[in-house]
Amino acid sequence: MKKLIAAVFAMSFAGAALADGNLGFEIGSNWFRPNYDSNGYWGSGYWWSGQGQNFTLVWGMDNDLWLGAYSEQTTLSDGYGDAYSFDVTAIQVTKGVMKNVNIGMNVGSFYDEQADEVGPLTDVFGKVTILSGSGDKVQGNVNATIGGRWADDSYNGGSNWSGYYVNLSVGLLF
């Protein structure tokens, strides 16, 4: 019965969002540069960088406030030919500050394949809409995002993967 009630509430929220044109998604490509400190020594010779894809399901609360479910799958390279998976799952909150400019935050967790650990993650970012257009029932946009990332699972035997990232994405709103 609890699952049925939860499903009814979820469908009512989704129905209201679809009626207002505030439900959509973004899909894009990201570049990630962690400031990785291998084993605590700065001159270790590793030059970590990553490239991957991201997907966000977004729901507009009003014209300036958006909630989303963010996921990212990035492949990190150590500069010596080794590659590791770096996966992110987070809740996203975005607020418009002026026309076509938003600031936001991702709060969630990441999986570090190199250490086989999961750790907390927080992103703070700015997003600019480069191009947008709309039809009768669909709106589309191209966005560029740049942000800082705190991702540290060193307390649990992993590493500190904090750094910065850039995303380029396309989105549709229904």
Side-chain angles (χ1 to χ4, degrees), residues 2 10 16 20 24 55 59 78 99-100 103 114 125 131 141-142 153 156 161 167:
K2 290 180 186 178
D20 291 339
F55 180 82
W59 178 36
D78 64 3
K99 185 174 180 165
N100 296 330
I103 58 171
Q114 182 196 28
F125 61 85
L131 182 65
N141 54 37
V142 177
D153 64 350
N156 205 21
W161 293 102
N167 289 346

Side-chain angles (χ1 to χ4, degrees), residues 46-57:
Y46 289 111
W47 180 256
W48 290 95
S49 63
Q51 196 279 324
Q53 292 76 38
N54 55 66
F55 180 82
T56 309
L57 183 62

Side-chain angles (χ1 to χ4, degrees), residues 5 45 50 59 83 118:
I5 293 171
W59 178 36
V118 174

Side-chain angles (χ1 to χ4, degrees), residues 48 74-78 82-86 112-114 161:
W48 290 95
T74 299
T75 301
L76 288 174
S77 172
D78 64 3
D82 300 317
Y84 301 95
S85 178
F86 186 87
D112 165 15
E113 183 187 32
Q114 182 196 28
W161 293 102

Side-chain angles (χ1 to χ4, degrees), residues 19-76:
D20 291 339
N22 290 334
L23 188 65
F25 67 90
E26 289 183 11
I27 188 166
S29 191
N30 63 286
W31 295 268
F32 175 44
R33 173 68 177 105
N35 297 322
Y36 180 77
D37 182 11
S38 176
N39 299 320
Y41 301 105
W42 283 104
S44 65
Y46 289 111
W47 180 256
W48 290 95
S49 63
Q51 196 279 324
Q53 292 76 38
N54 55 66
F55 180 82
T56 309
L57 183 62
V58 295
W59 178 36
M61 303 299 288
D62 61 27
N63 288 337
D64 288 337
L65 183 64
W66 295 83
L67 295 178
Y70 178 82
S71 80
E72 174 184 318
Q73 294 180 334
T74 299
T75 301
L76 288 174

Side-chain angles (χ1 to χ4, degrees), residues 99-100 129-135 138-143 171:
K99 185 174 180 165
N100 296 330
T129 300
I130 300 170
L131 182 65
S132 66
S134 62
V138 178
Q139 297 175 4
N141 54 37
V142 177
N143 301 308

